[in-house]
């Protein structure tokens, strides 16, 4: 066993975690850039690559690429579980004193890593990459902007504005994440939620250079909802608030009708005013829709409770290869 005094002389280990789903075509560029960055940083590097059920040959290609690094760990999940579970698998397997999350598509530049490590040496436990600009356009861009605005309004700024998964965390935060039992994982906010000293580094986010985004629009939408619903119960309060307002309005309207009826009894109106069919139809559709919407929102929370309560594993590891033992 290494004594603690000896251990303090040992260089810190940095685990670079990269999840992958069908990223074969970009592997060479990715690892070239990563190798160039870590070459000049005198720390012990460990690459933790998680293959999230790739079917395009990434599995073999990545094993070959990793051989150029002295220390690595390659985790094969049994199927595609999604980006967040893949990152979580990496966190659980990483041995570093400091962990860095990097997407395989180079949208977030590995060249920012030295700056992030500098902040870590200054004592920050969480360093988040913040996008000063984005190259993405179209519907994805609109969706990203809308999500970030809504998320910050609803969650009271748990995570820095315009940030994502690209970040560095200290071992203390990694231990917290590894102990988290959440199935609806939203790491960009969760890693900040624990507290500890935090800071940001700014960078310009590129578009993907190779391949299509692996987070399909449906996956992204679900990911956004996971973020919103696991960090805010504001939608439930909106339902209660809307219900209260509608109740108040209908009481007021009932009061008006009551007064009208009294006035009619005392002969102020010769005949009762009858409301039109259109008003009635609109009201029925509106409140029917509102009810369904409210049920849908409650359903979102229930579905998440259901997922949590089942207690299924977040991911399943099929096999692990490491630089030391090659296979186990
Ligand atoms: N990814 C993954 N599993 C998935 C989807 C994505 O491991 O089910 C990986 C992907 O290979 C990439 C990272 O997660 O390394 C980010 O994916 P992508 O670029 O598609 O997402 P976006 O940039 O839109 O967040
Ligand atoms: Mg991407």
């Amino acid at each position: 066993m290494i004594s603690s005094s000896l251990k303090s002389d040992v260089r810190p280990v940095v685990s670079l975690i990269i999840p992958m789903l069908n990223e074969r075509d970009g592997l060479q560029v990715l690892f070239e850039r990563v190798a160039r960055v870590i070459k000049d940083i005198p720390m012990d590097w460990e690459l933790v690559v998680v293959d999230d059920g790739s079917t395009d040959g990434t599995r073999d290609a990545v094993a070959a690429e990793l051989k150029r690094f002295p220390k690595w760990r390659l985790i094969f999940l049994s199927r595609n579980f999604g980006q967040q579970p893949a990152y979580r698998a990496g966190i659980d397997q990483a041995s570093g004193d400091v962990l860095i999350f990097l997407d395989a598509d180079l949208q977030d530049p590995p060249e920012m890593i030295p700056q992030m490590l500098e902040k870590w040496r200054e004592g920050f436990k969480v360093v988040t990459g913040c996008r000063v600009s984005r190259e993405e356009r179209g519907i994805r861009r609109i969706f990203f902007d809308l999500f970030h605005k809504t998320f910050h309004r609803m969650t009271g700024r748990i995570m820095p504005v315009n940030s994502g998964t690209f970040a560095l965390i200290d071992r203390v935060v990694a231990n917290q994440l590894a102990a988290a039992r959440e199935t609806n994982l939203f790491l960009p906010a969760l890693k900040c939620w624990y507290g500890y000293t935090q800071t940001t580094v700014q960078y310009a986010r590129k578009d993907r250079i190779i391949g299509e985004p692996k987070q399909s629009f449906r996956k992204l939408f679900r990911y956004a909802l996971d973020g919103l619903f696991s960090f805010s119960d504001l939608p439930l309060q909106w339902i209660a608030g809307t219900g209260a307002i509608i109740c108040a309005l209908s009481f007021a309207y009932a009061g008006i009708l009551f007064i009208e009826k009294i006035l009619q009894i005392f002969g102020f109106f010769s005949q009762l005013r009858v409301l039109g069919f259109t008003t009635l139809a609109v009201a029925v559709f509106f409140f029917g829709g509102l009810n369904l919407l409210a049920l849908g929102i409650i359903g979102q929370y229930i579905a998440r409770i259901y997922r949590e309560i089942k207690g299924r594993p977040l991911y399943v590891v099929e096999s692990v290869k490491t630089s030391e033992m090659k296979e186990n």
Side-chain angles (χ1 to χ4, degrees), residues 158-263:
I158 286 181
M159 66 183 212
V161 187
N162 281 326
S163 64
T165 331
F166 186 41
L168 170 154
I169 57 168
D170 185 89
R171 170 50 56 191
V172 288
V173 183
N175 288 345
Q176 294 285 356
L177 287 174
R181 292 192 307 262
E182 306 194 19
T183 309
N184 304 295
L185 207 54
F186 189 67
L187 288 169
L190 191 58
K191 71 175 195 314
C192 300
W193 179 89
Y194 296 107
Y196 299 111
T197 43
Q198 319 199 355
T199 190
T200 56
V201 291
Q202 315 286 323
Y203 70 102
R205 189 163 214 242
K206 302 273 176 229
D207 217 343
R208 255 182 183 265
I209 354 176
I210 297 165
E212 288 296 305
K214 302 304 173 319
Q215 294 268 72
S216 63
F217 202 75
R218 193 178 58 81
K219 271 192 193 171
L220 263 185
F221 191 66
R222 192 169 154 170
Y223 177 47
L225 289 184
D226 269 345
L228 287 176
F229 290 123
S230 56
F231 281 92
S232 172
D233 53 13
L234 217 60
L236 290 176
Q237 293 175 32
W238 289 340
I239 294 175
T242 315
I245 292 169
I246 291 170
C247 275
L249 289 177
S250 52
F251 274 127
Y253 189 52
I256 293 169
L257 290 180
F258 180 72
I259 293 167
E260 271 188 7
K261 182 82 181 161
I262 300 286
L263 293 179

Side-chain angles (χ1 to χ4, degrees), residues 29 34 38 47 52 60 62 64 79 84 105 108 114 124 147 151 162 165 170 174 179 237 260 279 286 294 296 303:
V29 190
V34 166
I38 69 180
L47 267 77
D52 187 20
D60 298 327
V62 77
R79 64 166 170 85
Q84 296 291 295
D105 59 1
D108 308 311
F124 291 103
F147 170 74
F151 190 83
N162 281 326
T165 331
D170 185 89
Q237 293 175 32
E260 271 188 7
T279 318
F286 176 71

Side-chain angles (χ1 to χ4, degrees), residues 13-24:
V13 176
V14 188
S15 301
L16 182 60
I17 304 175
I18 312 176
M20 287 183 187
L21 170 65
N22 300 336
E23 301 284 5
R24 190 196 54 197

Side-chain angles (χ1 to χ4, degrees), residues 32-73:
E32 260 162 30
R33 274 175 68 179
V34 166
R36 228 175 293 141
V37 168
I38 69 180
K39 181 172 61 75
D40 299 326
I41 305 174
M43 296 171 106
D44 282 332
W45 288 83
E46 171 195 50
L47 267 77
V48 181
V49 175
V50 183
D51 178 73
D52 187 20
S54 295
T55 50
D56 70 339
T58 298
R59 291 174 71 106
D60 298 327
V62 77
E65 285 287 338
L66 280 173
K67 301 230 164 79
R68 68 164 97 176
F69 298 96
K71 195 168 178 210
W72 50 265
R73 186 167 269 267

Side-chain angles (χ1 to χ4, degrees), residues 86-160:
Y87 266 119
R88 173 65 196 269
I91 295 168
D92 294 344
Q93 297 260 345
S95 64
D97 303 291
V98 52
L99 279 62
I100 297 169
F101 305 144
L102 180 74
D103 283 354
D105 59 1
L106 294 170
Q107 281 194 274
D108 308 311
E111 289 74 19
M112 290 302 295
I113 291 174
Q115 212 176 313
M116 291 170 133
L117 283 167
E118 201 48 54
K119 297 278 184 195
W120 177 71
R121 278 192 214 95
E122 287 170 25
F124 291 103
K125 301 286 187 242
V126 179
V127 184
T128 306
C130 286
R131 298 121 187 207
V132 279
S133 62
R134 272 183 183 279
E135 272 183 5
E136 288 127 329
R137 291 282 171 267
I139 185 93
R140 278 175 98 83
R141 171 61 184 267
I142 295 170
F143 182 78
F144 283 133
D145 289 347
L146 187 72
F147 170 74
H148 282 284
K149 277 198 190 106
T150 320
F151 190 83
H152 285 285
R153 284 242 167 94
M154 286 172 56
T155 60
R157 299 180 178 264
I158 286 181
M159 66 183 212

